[in-house]
Amino acid sequence: MNYSLRMKVVVSSEDETQGLAIQNELKNICAKLSFSPMRLEPSLEGCLEFAASAVVDEHERTLLVDTLDNDWDYDDQDDLYWAYGFNTTLFDKRVYYLELEFSKIKK
């Protein structure tokens, strides 16, 4: 089974070098990821945001879910995972918010 992955990442900094470092960490976990340009997060002062996307298989999906956070909130109907860095252990302490949305790709 393959999935289309859409990821949203909010970084607790306006420094793009911090965002690039986080993108590099994500690429080390899943080399298939492509990233949108970074921008200031409109509703949070002092934060950047970017999106990432990829087509992943079941193994990569499990790796991302297991590696990026220790305690996801999850909506099984929408296959949506989300976590805030202030109350879970995300893969990087600079990440304020992380969201993963998977959509099955029908053959």
Side-chain angles (χ1 to χ4, degrees):
M1 174 71 58
N2 286 328
Y3 300 86
S4 174
L5 166 65
R6 184 194 60 79
M7 181 185 301
K8 178 180 178 178
V9 181
V10 178
V11 181
S12 297
S13 173
E14 291 184 6
D15 180 357
E16 287 194 10
T17 59
Q18 301 295 315
L20 289 171
I22 290 166
Q23 288 179 351
N24 286 333
E25 284 185 63
L26 289 167
K27 275 286 217 190
N28 286 334
I29 297 166
C30 182
K32 294 178 178 181
L33 288 170
S34 58
F35 300 99
S36 71
M38 285 177 252
R39 67 178 191 157
L40 292 177
E41 208 290 332
S43 62
L44 293 169
E45 189 173 323
C47 293
L48 290 173
E49 72 174 2
F50 61 87
S53 61
V55 172
V56 296
D57 61 25
E58 191 71 46
H59 171 75
E60 292 163 321
R61 173 196 163 107
T62 301
L63 176 67
L64 288 164
V65 170
D66 290 349
T67 304
L68 297 180
D69 188 54
N70 73 325
D71 188 22
W72 292 101
D73 287 309
Y74 175 68
D75 179 345
D76 61 348
Q77 187 172 5
D78 292 327
D79 208 3
L80 179 67
Y81 294 79
W82 67 95
Y84 289 91
F86 58 82
N87 66 353
T88 66
T89 304
L90 288 166
F91 71 101
D92 189 297
K93 292 179 191 239
R94 296 171 289 188
V95 176
Y96 175 82
Y97 175 78
L98 181 61
E99 180 179 293
L100 307 177
E101 182 177 14
F102 296 96
S103 301
K104 289 181 184 174
I105 297 175
K106 297 186 181 7
K107 291 185 179 185

